[in-house]
Amino acid sequence: MSFDITQYLLAAQSPDAKVRKDAEAILCKFREENLPQYLLSLSVELSNDGKPIESRRLAGIVLKNDLGAKDSSTKEQPVQLWVQIDISFRAQIKNSLLSTLGSTFREASHTAAQVVAEVASIEIPRKEWPELVGSLLANMTRQDGSPSLRQATLETLGYVCEVISDENLVQDEVNAILTAVVQGMNTTEPNPEVRLAATKALYNALEFARTNFNNEMERNYIMKVICDAALAKEAEIRQTAFECLVSIASTYYEVLEPYMQRIFELTSNAVKGDEEAIALQAVEFWSSICDEEMELQDYEVPEIGDSSVEHSRFIEKALQTLVPLLLETLLKQDEDQDQEDGTWNLAMAGGTCLGLVAKTVGDAVVTLVMPFVEANISKPDWRSREAATYAFGSILEGPSIEKLSPMVNAGLDFLLNSMNDENSHVKDTTAWTLGRIFELLHSPATGFSVITPANLQKILAVLLASLKDAPHVSEKVCGAIYFLAQGYEDAGPSSSMLTPFLPNILSSLIATAERTDGSDSKLRSSAYETLNEVVRCSNLLETSEIIVKLLPAIMTKLEQTLHLQIVSSDDREHQGDLQASLCGVLQVIIQKLSSAEETKPIIMQAADQIMVLFLSVFACRSTTVHEEAMLAIGALAYATGPRFEVYMKEFYKYLEMGLQNFEEHQVCAISVGVVGDICRALDDKILPFCDGIMTHLLKDLSSSELHRSVKPPIFSCFGDIALAIGEHFEKYINFALPMMQSASEVCAQMDYNDEEMIDYGNQLRRSIFEAYSGILQGFKNAKAELMLPHAPHLLQFIELVAQDEQRDTNVTKAAVAVQGDLADALGSNVKMLFKDTKFCSNMLSECLETDDEQLISTATWAKEMIRRAFSDSS
């Protein structure tokens, strides 16, 4: 078919809306009717230097969008789209893209490099484009190859390395790529654009270079080229070279020793005199070294035959020169750094790194930092005072209490007085430092606290007064009060110290939340979060009357939000944020007052009014408030127990909305959790709603749109429902069990080398066991035999999990518990099932030998249930 795609690509960018819309419709129709030809036409358009720049640019964008995934969860869509195209069409498209790398139009070659990588990410893992690397490397040695071709080729190699894994390339290919990349980085390369592309490509290829880094000669050459690039005339090349060093710090820590002197010189010079973006990477190198050494310290005691990485103690060795270097960075603050969220500058990076150094070397950092603090803390220049305070706050985690407590006790009064400093930067950092002190050095439950009956009154007087300061200072003060209150949690008699101040603290925080001078809702959120923590950690016996008075005050505020005038989307957002915060406070009050029999009746009396408020809030239809109101309703259900039944008819429609909310998956996950809360509250009174709830949960599990993180809670929820309705769960067995079994098969196929997948796999396995446990216990007193056909599959799943030595404790506990539930529910029927299950007894023995009391308790119970089942059958 003859189709001039150029005219439609140009028309699709027309300022005339009708022309644009018509062109988009034609392109869309072309795509639907003949996808292979459509993609080929786009690739030819992109490659043709005779075509208009505008049409080529759009062709490239459309190709990228069609063949690239927005995130890992949607990666399968372009894969399916591409592999269904005939192989001859795919070859033409790929050849067209590769030819575009030589285009004189830089934007076209750059886009082609990205699209080649997208195709490579699909084909190389499937062993379908074996000649790609060879084709790209041939570009680098072509006699007629232009610098722009070499630049685009190096870019492509970098992008390809970014999207594939090291197992997709053989070592010869890795060697050839590294040779080409390192040659492109060399100081003999005359073209800076080529050199930059090569340096960026090396950054992406470092993960593949393990064998090369194990070879001293190759490693020396690669490190020399990187260090030379860190001194390049062009700032972007220098920055990328330092990014390579940061990556090497975490990937190849064990081979860095011979290069550390040179790297220290490079990073030191960059921090002292280079552009900020480069200095930031130089500091990041040392932060990465700290991260590696802290991890090594966590595993300091090697096992016999352990060949793990040796701890080189680079931070300890560099300490005398590294700490002064970092302290100097603290004096390079921005004038407006406290006003903007997400600001990251050299002073902040230096302080963060100093904090990591303190965690890495402990006490040794204190004597190097304190002279700087003492020399600068009283200087007339605000930068000196702020830097000294920041340095002090940065080293509070790592050193021992014995080392820190004298200087903190001596400095606390000075810091409190500094909350009256004339400079807001100093006050901001002082409030942050006080928060760090209260977080790390205030733990009455363990017998140590810098706060005493003698200084508490002054501390609170200063903090409450400072809540009226500038919003950014007030927000940090909220943080300090938060940690001060948190320290009194489970502190026994010590928690009484805070009780006399509670009314004043609560009223000050409410006043702070109501301030209108903050540019956004961050201060309000901080104030309410702090209020929640103060309530949560208070001594209920002494403060119940205060909290009881707080309840109607917060309810009134929530009711007032229902009548706010909503004219714009900003008004709607403000209303939603405020309602979310107030629902959060009500949740904490409900949980606190219902935790003791003496105060629980207060919640029972107010429950009707509270529920009316929550239902009114739902009617406002805001996502954020939906989450918080759902959580608060879960707390109310738990508090009111069976009485919650009277609210179900009205509430159910909102619960359904939550369970169907695929787009805001957090709302869906919270709604699933609330189903569990309601099951525990209502038991079999939830039965009339179970058909609808189970239908939605099963749809959620079947959906490819719903974020995978919601699926484990759904399986746990099956267990909650089965426990609540007992034998009535029979009608759902033929739907729920196949879902659980297919999920357990997914667990067997997961890549447990990927950290994200390890976490998800653990959650999924635990939730499947919890579902089985709930169903077995639900059927225990009637119809337990329904689970007999499913028991062998469950035991296979337990065996699979037992073979995984990396499983976490919660998975082990759930696997052990379900063995006990199986024996408890099925009784004498389990004798044959457990006959050849050595893995079960091994797992139980393993648990009984641990130090984890919960694990020991669960294993002891499970062992007893199995023993009883066997004795019943004999």
Side-chain angles (χ1 to χ4, degrees):
M1 118 181 217
S2 176
F3 185 88
D4 181 13
I5 201 167
T6 308
Q7 63 173 307
Y8 297 111
L9 288 168
L10 292 171
Q13 302 169 71
S14 167
D16 184 321
K18 185 179 183 312
V19 172
R20 194 167 64 245
K21 198 172 177 184
D22 290 348
E24 286 169 358
I26 290 167
L27 288 169
C28 197
K29 187 167 183 282
F30 183 16
R31 185 185 188 280
E32 285 169 10
E33 290 178 353
N34 194 342
L35 179 66
Q37 187 64 53
Y38 170 77
L39 292 175
L40 180 59
S41 300
L42 290 171
S43 65
V44 168
E45 187 77 16
L46 180 65
S47 69
N48 191 337
D49 280 347
K51 293 287 185 178
I53 285 172
E54 294 78 11
S55 65
R56 296 177 73 190
R57 181 180 289 125
L58 184 57
I61 291 168
V62 174
L63 268 174
K64 266 197 302 186
N65 290 345
D66 274 336
L67 296 175
K70 292 184 179 67
D71 55 55
S72 57
S73 65
T74 57
K75 178 64 186 167
E76 202 49 38
Q77 293 165 3
V79 172
Q80 292 308 313
L81 178 146
W82 179 256
V83 298
Q84 286 167 19
I85 294 173
D86 181 81
I87 197 162
S88 63
F89 264 103
R90 277 155 53 184
Q92 289 179 71
I93 294 165
K94 289 187 292 189
N95 289 335
S96 182
L97 290 168
L98 288 174
S99 72
T100 311
L101 297 178
S103 172
T104 53
F105 176 38
R106 174 74 191 105
E107 201 173 323
S109 61
H110 174 69
T111 302
Q114 292 174 309
V115 181
V116 167
E118 294 293 358
V119 175
S121 74
I122 298 169
E123 292 207 345
I124 287 181
R126 301 164 67 94
K127 313 288 185 207
E128 287 181 343
W129 201 356
E131 69 278 13
L132 172 62
V133 172
S135 302
L136 292 172
L137 293 172
N139 286 347
M140 298 302 294
T141 53
R142 273 173 55 174
Q143 294 299 312
D144 61 340
S146 63
S148 60
L149 174 64
R150 295 207 312 283
Q151 178 188 356
T153 300
L154 286 164
E155 252 184 355
T156 309
L157 285 167
Y159 289 141
V160 169
C161 288
E162 189 177 12
V163 296
I164 64 173
S165 68
D166 52 358
E167 66 207 27
N168 296 140
L169 295 178
V170 297
Q171 189 57 44
D172 284 349
E173 289 176 314
V174 173
N175 294 343
I177 289 171
L178 286 173
T179 300
V181 166
V182 169
Q183 281 176 355
M185 284 177 70
N186 218 305
T187 49
T188 55
E189 169 56 58
N191 188 299
E193 295 294 332
V194 171
R195 201 173 172 205
L196 175 61
T199 312
K200 287 181 174 178
L202 179 65
Y203 176 81
N204 287 325
L206 281 169
E207 185 187 329
F208 297 76
R210 172 72 53 191
T211 302
N212 310 82
F213 265 79
N214 287 337
N215 179 310
E216 187 181 359
M217 196 165 76
E218 291 184 40
R219 182 175 71 240
N220 286 342
Y221 188 59
I222 294 169
M223 291 301 292
K224 179 187 179 302
V225 169
I226 294 171
C227 290
D228 288 346
L231 294 169
K233 187 173 68 177
E234 296 79 13
E236 207 176 343
I237 296 176
R238 294 200 302 278
Q239 182 179 336
T240 310
F242 275 108
E243 286 170 6
C244 288
L245 289 174
V246 171
S247 176
I248 288 166
S250 55
T251 313
Y252 302 112
Y253 169 91
E254 68 276 13
V255 297
L256 276 177
E257 180 83 59
Y259 317 105
M260 288 304 283
Q261 185 58 46
R262 175 101 196 266
I263 292 173
F264 185 84
E265 289 166 12
L266 289 169
T267 52
S268 178
N269 291 334
V271 168
K272 288 174 182 172
D274 212 329
E275 294 176 20
E276 184 172 67
I278 296 155
L280 284 170
Q281 289 302 320
V283 172
E284 185 62 27
F285 172 84
W286 290 102
S287 292
S288 293
I289 294 290
C290 287
D291 287 337
E292 289 304 303
E293 298 201 342
M294 282 189 286
E295 195 172 329
L296 288 170
Q297 280 158 209
D298 288 342
Y299 305 101
E300 197 79 272
V301 184
E303 295 176 8
I304 296 166
D306 185 16
S307 60
S308 59
V309 176
E310 188 181 335
H311 191 335
S312 298
R313 306 195 183 283
F314 294 135
I315 298 298
E316 200 177 294
K317 291 171 187 171
L319 205 60
Q320 299 293 327
T321 40
L322 177 60
V323 169
L325 179 70
L326 295 173
L327 290 170
E328 284 305 307
T329 67
L330 304 189
L331 293 159
K332 298 181 179 179
Q333 309 97 323
D334 292 339
E335 285 283 354
D336 58 353
Q337 66 182 29
D338 300 324
Q339 317 293 334
E340 295 175 24
D341 260 0
T343 300
W344 188 246
N345 58 36
L346 190 54
M348 290 175 166
T352 301
C353 187
L354 184 61
L356 293 171
V357 168
K359 287 165 77 173
T360 306
V361 301
D363 289 359
V365 80
V366 177
T367 49
L368 293 170
V369 171
M370 285 313 292
F372 176 86
V373 174
E374 288 157 4
N376 288 279
I377 198 79
S378 299
K379 280 189 176 175
D381 173 29
W382 75 263
R383 291 180 184 278
S384 300
R385 298 197 304 279
E386 194 275 338
T389 311
Y390 191 18
F392 187 79
S394 296
I395 61 166
L396 292 173
E397 189 174 6
S400 63
I401 285 175
E402 292 75 21
K403 189 76 174 176
L404 291 172
S405 59
M407 69 178 204
V408 171
N409 283 320
L412 186 58
D413 213 47
F414 188 94
L415 287 168
L416 291 171
N417 292 334
S418 293
M419 288 307 299
N420 293 315
D421 196 282
E422 63 193 28
N423 184 274
S424 68
H425 296 298
V426 175
K427 288 187 282 190
D428 186 288
T429 304
T430 302
W432 172 79
T433 300
L434 287 167
R436 295 264 295 169
I437 289 171
F438 301 149
E439 179 185 7
L440 301 164
L441 297 162
H442 164 51
S443 179
T446 62
F448 176 79
S449 177
V450 296
I451 299 175
T452 65
N455 64 19
L456 178 58
Q457 187 168 357
K458 179 176 180 180
I459 289 169
L460 283 169
V462 169
L463 293 177
L464 297 184
S466 298
L467 281 174
K468 297 170 184 165
D469 213 309
H472 65 91
V473 175
S474 182
E475 190 198 322
K476 301 287 195 314
V477 173
C478 285
I481 296 170
Y482 180 100
F483 289 118
L484 185 149
Q486 192 179 74
Y488 289 112
E489 185 180 14
D490 302 326
S494 297
S495 62
S496 298
M497 282 172 58
L498 199 60
T499 303
F501 304 100
L502 207 67
N504 205 4
I505 295 171
L506 296 176
S507 61
S508 298
L509 287 168
I510 289 171
T512 303
E514 290 176 341
R515 284 174 56 164
T516 55
D517 58 340
S519 57
D520 56 29
S521 61
K522 202 169 174 202
L523 176 58
R524 182 176 62 241
S525 297
S526 296
Y528 278 127
E529 280 169 25
T530 302
L531 185 145
N532 290 347
E533 197 66 2
V534 171
V535 170
R536 197 179 68 78
C537 299
S538 64
N539 184 323
L540 184 58
L541 289 174
E542 298 174 353
T543 61
S544 58
E545 288 184 21
I546 301 164
I547 298 169
V548 165
K549 287 178 187 170
L550 183 64
L551 177 60
I554 298 297
M555 287 170 66
T556 301
K557 287 184 181 302
L558 184 55
E559 188 176 12
Q560 287 167 354
T561 66
L562 303 171
H563 310 297
L564 289 172
Q565 189 176 8
I566 308 298
V567 178
S568 65
S569 59
D570 284 351
D571 291 340
R572 175 71 67 198
E573 188 180 346
H574 167 75
Q575 182 195 44
D577 288 345
L578 187 52
Q579 288 176 340
S581 291
L582 292 166
C583 285
V585 178
L586 284 175
Q587 180 193 348
V588 172
I589 293 173
I590 291 164
Q591 288 168 331
K592 190 71 177 179
L593 291 178
S594 62
S595 66
E597 288 305 317
E598 296 85 351
T599 49
K600 196 170 184 176
I602 296 155
I603 295 299
M604 301 299 279
Q605 288 161 20
D608 288 357
Q609 289 171 275
I610 294 172
M611 196 64 192
V612 166
L613 274 174
F614 288 153
L615 293 171
S616 303
V617 161
F618 276 128
C620 296
R621 300 286 174 89
S622 158
T623 303
T624 48
V625 80
H626 203 137
E627 286 184 47
E628 296 297 335
M630 268 290 175
L631 287 167
I633 282 176
L636 189 65
Y638 185 80
T640 54
R643 191 184 144 190
F644 192 81
E645 183 188 11
V646 299
Y647 309 125
M648 276 303 291
K649 192 175 176 187
E650 278 298 307
F651 170 58
Y652 181 70
K653 62 182 175 187
Y654 297 113
L655 183 62
E656 272 198 318
M657 282 165 55
L659 293 173
Q660 294 174 85
N661 194 338
F662 290 2
E663 283 187 23
E664 285 111 13
H665 64 268
Q666 297 94 333
V667 174
C668 190
I670 288 165
S671 303
V672 171
V674 169
V675 171
D677 292 332
I678 295 169
C679 285
R680 286 182 282 279
L682 298 186
D683 288 326
D684 60 356
K685 288 180 179 160
I686 196 172
L687 195 54
F689 304 95
C690 281
D691 282 358
I693 289 170
M694 283 299 294
T695 300
H696 290 305
L697 293 178
L698 290 163
K699 275 185 185 169
D700 288 353
L701 284 175
S702 305
S703 167
S704 58
E705 293 172 49
L706 183 61
H707 196 276
R708 69 181 185 207
S709 64
V710 185
K711 299 193 176 182
I714 291 174
F715 286 119
S716 299
C717 195
F718 284 172
D720 294 330
I721 293 168
L723 263 176
I725 66 174
E727 62 187 86
H728 300 291
F729 196 80
E730 179 184 358
K731 67 196 292 191
Y732 309 121
I733 266 219
N734 291 333
F735 304 101
L737 266 293
M739 289 283 194
M740 288 155 61
Q741 287 167 6
S742 67
S744 63
E745 283 154 19
V746 168
C747 291
Q749 293 157 15
M750 277 185 186
D751 174 13
Y752 287 104
N753 293 317
D754 179 342
E755 204 165 308
E756 204 177 302
M757 288 309 289
I758 290 171
D759 287 346
Y760 177 64
N762 281 327
Q763 289 167 24
L764 188 56
R765 293 186 296 185
R766 178 187 174 185
S767 69
I768 295 166
F769 286 136
E770 286 174 347
Y772 274 115
S773 281
I775 295 167
L776 284 161
Q777 286 296 334
F779 285 148
K780 177 182 163 184
N781 297 323
K783 302 187 179 177
E785 69 281 357
L786 289 170
M787 288 303 286
L788 266 174
H790 305 287
H793 194 285
L794 170 57
L795 285 165
Q796 283 173 17
F797 185 43
I798 294 169
E799 183 176 15
L800 177 80
V801 171
Q803 291 164 359
D804 176 19
E805 294 176 6
Q806 304 299 315
R807 66 181 183 274
D808 75 7
T809 307
N810 288 324
V811 173
T812 304
K813 189 179 160 203
V816 168
V818 83
Q819 292 173 46
D821 290 321
L822 195 59
D824 188 24
L826 299 184
S828 58
N829 291 308
V830 299
K831 189 167 185 181
M832 286 304 292
L833 288 167
F834 277 99
K835 188 181 174 190
D836 298 313
T837 56
K838 189 93 170 84
F839 58 88
C840 286
S841 53
N842 287 345
M843 188 183 262
L844 290 171
S845 301
E846 174 195 317
C847 295
L848 292 168
E849 289 165 13
T850 65
D851 299 328
D852 188 314
E853 287 182 20
Q854 280 193 326
L855 212 49
I856 292 168
S857 170
T858 306
T860 305
W861 172 81
K863 198 170 183 180
E864 175 60 17
M865 290 301 105
I866 294 167
R867 187 197 65 73
R868 278 190 205 172
F870 271 67
S871 60
D872 288 348
S873 63
S874 54

Coordinates of all heavy atoms in Angstrom, one line a residue, residues 752-786:
Y752 N 14.8 -14.9 42.3 CA 15.1 -14.5 43.6 C 16.5 -13.8 43.7 O 17.0 -13.6 44.8 CB 14.9 -15.6 44.6 CG 13.5 -16.0 44.8 CD1 12.9 -17.1 44.2 CD2 12.7 -15.1 45.6 CE1 11.5 -17.4 44.4 CE2 11.3 -15.4 45.8 CZ 10.8 -16.5 45.2 OH 9.4 -16.8 45.4
N753 N 17.1 -13.4 42.6 CA 18.3 -12.6 42.6 C 18.0 -11.1 42.6 O 18.8 -10.3 42.9 CB 19.2 -12.9 41.4 CG 19.7 -14.4 41.4 OD1 20.1 -14.8 42.5 ND2 19.6 -15.1 40.3
D754 N 16.7 -10.8 42.2 CA 16.3 -9.4 42.2 C 15.7 -9.1 43.6 O 14.8 -9.7 44.0 CB 15.2 -9.3 41.1 CG 14.6 -7.9 41.0 OD1 14.8 -7.1 41.9 OD2 14.0 -7.6 39.9
E755 N 16.3 -8.0 44.2 CA 15.9 -7.7 45.6 C 14.4 -7.3 45.7 O 13.8 -7.7 46.6 CB 16.8 -6.5 46.1 CG 16.9 -6.5 47.6 CD 18.0 -5.6 48.1 OE1 19.1 -5.7 47.6 OE2 17.7 -4.7 48.9
E756 N 13.9 -6.6 44.7 CA 12.5 -6.2 44.7 C 11.6 -7.5 44.6 O 10.6 -7.6 45.3 CB 12.2 -5.3 43.5 CG 11.0 -4.4 43.7 CD 10.9 -3.5 42.5 OE1 11.8 -2.7 42.2 OE2 9.8 -3.6 41.9
M757 N 12.1 -8.4 43.8 CA 11.3 -9.7 43.6 C 11.4 -10.5 44.9 O 10.4 -11.2 45.2 CB 11.8 -10.5 42.4 CG 11.4 -9.9 41.1 SD 9.6 -9.5 40.9 CE 8.9 -11.1 40.8
I758 N 12.5 -10.5 45.6 CA 12.6 -11.2 46.8 C 11.6 -10.8 47.8 O 10.9 -11.5 48.5 CB 14.1 -11.1 47.4 CG1 15.1 -11.8 46.6 CG2 14.1 -11.6 48.9 CD1 16.5 -11.5 46.9
D759 N 11.5 -9.4 48.0 CA 10.5 -8.9 48.9 C 9.1 -9.3 48.5 O 8.3 -9.7 49.4 CB 10.6 -7.3 49.0 CG 11.8 -6.9 49.7 OD1 12.5 -7.7 50.4 OD2 12.2 -5.7 49.5
Y760 N 8.8 -9.1 47.2 CA 7.4 -9.4 46.8 C 7.2 -10.9 46.9 O 6.1 -11.3 47.4 CB 7.3 -9.0 45.3 CG 5.9 -9.4 44.7 CD1 4.7 -8.8 45.2 CD2 5.8 -10.4 43.7 CE1 3.5 -9.2 44.7 CE2 4.6 -10.7 43.2 CZ 3.4 -10.1 43.7 OH 2.2 -10.5 43.2
G761 N 8.2 -11.8 46.6 CA 8.0 -13.2 46.7 C 7.7 -13.6 48.2 O 6.9 -14.5 48.4
N762 N 8.4 -13.0 49.1 CA 8.2 -13.3 50.5 C 6.8 -12.9 50.9 O 6.1 -13.6 51.7 CB 9.2 -12.6 51.4 CG 10.6 -13.3 51.4 OD1 10.6 -14.5 51.3 ND2 11.7 -12.5 51.5
Q763 N 6.3 -11.7 50.5 CA 5.0 -11.3 50.9 C 3.9 -12.2 50.3 O 3.0 -12.6 51.0 CB 4.7 -9.9 50.3 CG 5.5 -8.8 51.0 CD 5.4 -7.5 50.2 OE1 4.5 -7.3 49.4 NE2 6.4 -6.6 50.4
L764 N 4.2 -12.6 49.0 CA 3.2 -13.5 48.3 C 3.1 -14.9 49.0 O 2.1 -15.4 49.3 CB 3.6 -13.6 46.9 CG 2.6 -14.3 45.9 CD1 1.2 -13.7 46.0 CD2 3.0 -14.3 44.5
R765 N 4.3 -15.5 49.3 CA 4.3 -16.8 49.9 C 3.7 -16.8 51.3 O 2.9 -17.6 51.7 CB 5.8 -17.3 50.0 CG 6.4 -17.6 48.6 CD 7.7 -18.2 48.7 NE 8.7 -17.3 49.3 CZ 10.0 -17.6 49.3 NH1 10.5 -18.8 48.8 NH2 10.9 -16.8 49.9
R766 N 4.0 -15.7 52.1 CA 3.4 -15.6 53.4 C 1.9 -15.5 53.3 O 1.2 -16.2 54.1 CB 4.0 -14.4 54.1 CG 3.4 -14.2 55.5 CD 3.9 -12.9 56.0 NE 3.3 -12.5 57.3 CZ 3.5 -11.4 57.9 NH1 4.3 -10.5 57.4 NH2 2.9 -11.1 59.1
S767 N 1.4 -14.7 52.4 CA 0.0 -14.5 52.3 C -0.8 -15.7 51.8 O -1.9 -16.0 52.3 CB -0.3 -13.3 51.3 OG 0.0 -13.7 50.0
I768 N -0.1 -16.5 51.0 CA -0.8 -17.8 50.5 C -0.9 -18.7 51.7 O -2.0 -19.4 51.9 CB 0.0 -18.5 49.4 CG1 0.0 -17.6 48.1 CG2 -0.5 -19.8 49.1 CD1 1.0 -17.9 47.1
F769 N 0.1 -18.8 52.5 CA 0.1 -19.7 53.7 C -1.0 -19.2 54.7 O -1.8 -19.9 55.3 CB 1.4 -19.7 54.5 CG 2.5 -20.5 53.8 CD1 3.8 -20.1 53.6 CD2 2.2 -21.8 53.3 CE1 4.7 -20.9 53.0 CE2 3.1 -22.6 52.7 CZ 4.4 -22.1 52.5
E770 N -1.1 -17.8 54.8 CA -2.1 -17.3 55.7 C -3.5 -17.6 55.2 O -4.5 -17.8 56.0 CB -1.9 -15.7 55.8 CG -0.7 -15.4 56.7 CD -0.4 -13.9 56.7 OE1 -1.0 -13.1 55.9 OE2 0.4 -13.5 57.6
A771 N -3.7 -17.6 53.9 CA -5.0 -17.9 53.3 C -5.4 -19.4 53.6 O -6.5 -19.7 54.1 CB -5.0 -17.7 51.8
Y772 N -4.4 -20.3 53.4 CA -4.6 -21.7 53.8 C -4.9 -21.9 55.3 O -5.9 -22.6 55.6 CB -3.4 -22.5 53.4 CG -3.3 -23.0 52.0 CD1 -2.3 -22.6 51.1 CD2 -4.2 -24.0 51.5 CE1 -2.3 -23.0 49.8 CE2 -4.2 -24.4 50.2 CZ -3.2 -24.0 49.4 OH -3.1 -24.4 48.1
S773 N -4.2 -21.2 56.1 CA -4.4 -21.3 57.6 C -5.8 -20.8 57.9 O -6.5 -21.5 58.7 CB -3.4 -20.4 58.3 OG -2.2 -21.1 58.4
G774 N -6.3 -19.7 57.4 CA -7.6 -19.2 57.7 C -8.7 -20.2 57.2 O -9.7 -20.4 57.9
I775 N -8.5 -20.7 56.0 CA -9.5 -21.6 55.4 C -9.6 -22.9 56.3 O -10.6 -23.4 56.6 CB -9.3 -21.9 54.0 CG1 -9.4 -20.6 53.1 CG2 -10.2 -22.9 53.4 CD1 -8.9 -20.6 51.7
L776 N -8.4 -23.4 56.6 CA -8.3 -24.7 57.4 C -9.0 -24.5 58.7 O -9.8 -25.3 59.2 CB -6.9 -25.1 57.6 CG -6.2 -25.8 56.3 CD1 -4.7 -25.8 56.5 CD2 -6.7 -27.2 56.2
Q777 N -8.7 -23.4 59.4 CA -9.3 -23.1 60.7 C -10.8 -22.8 60.6 O -11.6 -23.2 61.5 CB -8.6 -21.9 61.4 CG -7.2 -22.2 61.9 CD -7.2 -23.2 63.1 OE1 -8.2 -23.4 63.8 NE2 -6.1 -24.0 63.2
G778 N -11.2 -22.2 59.5 CA -12.6 -21.9 59.3 C -13.4 -23.2 59.1 O -14.6 -23.3 59.5
F779 N -12.8 -24.2 58.5 CA -13.5 -25.5 58.2 C -13.3 -26.5 59.4 O -13.8 -27.6 59.3 CB -13.0 -26.1 56.9 CG -13.5 -25.5 55.7 CD1 -12.8 -25.4 54.5 CD2 -14.8 -24.9 55.7 CE1 -13.3 -24.8 53.4 CE2 -15.3 -24.3 54.5 CZ -14.6 -24.3 53.4
K780 N -12.5 -26.1 60.3 CA -12.0 -27.1 61.4 C -13.2 -27.8 62.0 O -13.2 -29.0 62.2 CB -11.2 -26.3 62.4 CG -10.7 -27.2 63.6 CD -10.0 -26.3 64.6 CE -9.8 -27.0 65.9 NZ -9.2 -26.2 66.9
N781 N -14.2 -27.1 62.4 CA -15.4 -27.7 63.1 C -16.4 -28.3 62.2 O -17.4 -28.9 62.7 CB -16.0 -26.6 64.1 CG -15.0 -26.2 65.1 OD1 -14.2 -26.9 65.6 ND2 -15.0 -24.9 65.4
A782 N -16.3 -28.0 61.0 CA -17.3 -28.6 60.0 C -16.7 -28.6 58.6 O -16.2 -27.6 58.2 CB -18.6 -27.9 60.0
K783 N -16.8 -29.7 57.9 CA -16.4 -29.7 56.5 C -14.9 -29.6 56.3 O -14.5 -29.2 55.2 CB -17.1 -28.6 55.7 CG -18.7 -28.7 55.7 CD -19.3 -27.8 54.8 CE -20.8 -27.9 54.9 NZ -21.6 -26.9 54.1
A784 N -14.1 -30.0 57.3 CA -12.7 -30.0 57.1 C -12.2 -30.9 55.9 O -11.2 -30.6 55.3 CB -12.0 -30.5 58.4
E785 N -13.0 -31.9 55.7 CA -12.7 -32.9 54.6 C -12.6 -32.2 53.2 O -12.0 -32.7 52.3 CB -13.6 -34.1 54.6 CG -15.1 -33.8 54.1 CD -15.9 -33.1 55.2 OE1 -15.5 -32.9 56.3 OE2 -17.1 -32.7 54.9
L786 N -13.3 -31.0 53.1 CA -13.2 -30.3 51.8 C -11.8 -29.9 51.4 O -11.5 -29.7 50.3 CB -14.1 -29.0 51.9 CG -15.6 -29.2 52.0 CD1 -16.2 -27.9 52.3 CD2 -16.1 -29.7 50.6

